Amino acid sequence: MDTRFDELLDFPTFQTFKVLGVAHDDLPGQVVACLQEHAPGDYSPAVKPSAKGNYHSVSVSVKVTSKEHMETIYTELAKIELVRVVL
């Protein structure tokens, strides 16, 4: 992943990751588990269902320390089986 995060942001900074995935009870827990592995912290994810209830949006604010750290988190969140998109 080659981004321009380092040109656009001053690190460390807090970044809100929005993870869109299949509506499943395990989705928020899997997102938080992934974040704990790459950026340990005390997370309180906000979960919102889609209009039809088929998908959930999980938003979490994370302190990222560098461009590489941020790219790693995006990449690892996208690997979760229930996840469809990471914004």
Side-chain angles (χ1 to χ4, degrees):
M1 179 181 290
D2 188 24
T3 63
R4 294 180 31 210
F5 293 140
D6 55 337
E7 297 171 22
L8 303 171
L9 300 168
D10 292 324
F11 293 100
T13 189
F14 281 91
Q15 174 67 29
T16 299
F17 290 88
K18 183 176 273 192
V19 180
L20 305 173
V22 177
H24 193 283
D25 291 341
D26 291 344
L27 180 62
Q30 289 179 10
V31 169
V32 170
C34 179
L35 292 174
Q36 289 291 4
E37 187 175 326
H38 299 285
D42 185 21
Y43 299 113
S44 298
V47 180
K48 293 174 76 174
S50 65
K52 293 183 181 179
N54 296 326
Y55 297 94
H56 282 169
S57 166
V58 181
S59 298
V60 187
S61 182
V62 179
K63 185 175 184 178
V64 291
T65 58
S66 67
K67 169 187 171 180
E68 293 77 16
H69 188 213
M70 195 167 184
E71 291 171 347
T72 297
I73 292 172
Y74 272 111
T75 302
E76 294 303 313
L77 286 171
K79 290 180 182 178
I80 298 171
E81 187 175 337
L82 295 172
V83 171
R84 297 297 176 257
V85 178
V86 182
L87 304 172

